[in-house]
Amino acid sequence: MQIDPTHLAALSSILRLGSFDAAAGALHVTPSAISQRLKALEEQVGATLVLRSQPCQPTPLGARLAKHAEDVALLEAQALGDIARSGAAPARLTLAVPADSLATWLIPAFADAPEMLYDLRIDDQDTADDWLKRGAVSAAVTGHDRTVPGCDLHPLARSAMWPPPALISCSDTFQTASRQRALPRHQC
């Protein structure tokens, strides 16, 4: 089964922005077009993907497909590399991060990679990897020296901090993007 990328973009935008109208504005189409794309995707997979509330919320399958759309966008950005992407939106990466990392060293690391957008889930360093287990993020900054099954562990920096920060990533898309400076190594 192949999924139409415009249908995935509609789903992803609805969930990221919280409404059909906002998604339509972001994708430069009508709300009716967004509704039709989502309906076609729901019919294709045979399940409801979005709970129509304010704001719109994903079903478990909807969240999984939205994450897939994010992964596809990262792969696409990597494949295009230095090719001019006039008007294209930057690739988006969803990360679970501890608040203390965000407050100290993570923002400068993000600033070193302006070609990426980061969608952050702020959590404690001891539980950030739970987001990975649920499939809600592509990577997590954690203080653990163990990984989540199916994921890889990447030390981020040498530091006096204990435990030293590490990144757990669960997809080749993150590793590919990180080779493009999506999350550079940074001194803590």
Side-chain angles (χ1 to χ4, degrees), residues 134-155:
R134 293 192 305 265
V137 299
S138 296
V141 175
T142 181
H144 295 158
D145 60 355
R146 65 184 185 281
T147 189
V148 172
C151 300
D152 295 313
L153 183 71
H154 308 277

Side-chain angles (χ1 to χ4, degrees), residues 13-33:
S13 292
I14 291 166
L15 296 177
R16 187 174 64 253
L17 301 172
S19 74
F20 285 60
D21 289 339
L27 295 176
H28 309 291
V29 297
T30 65
S32 175

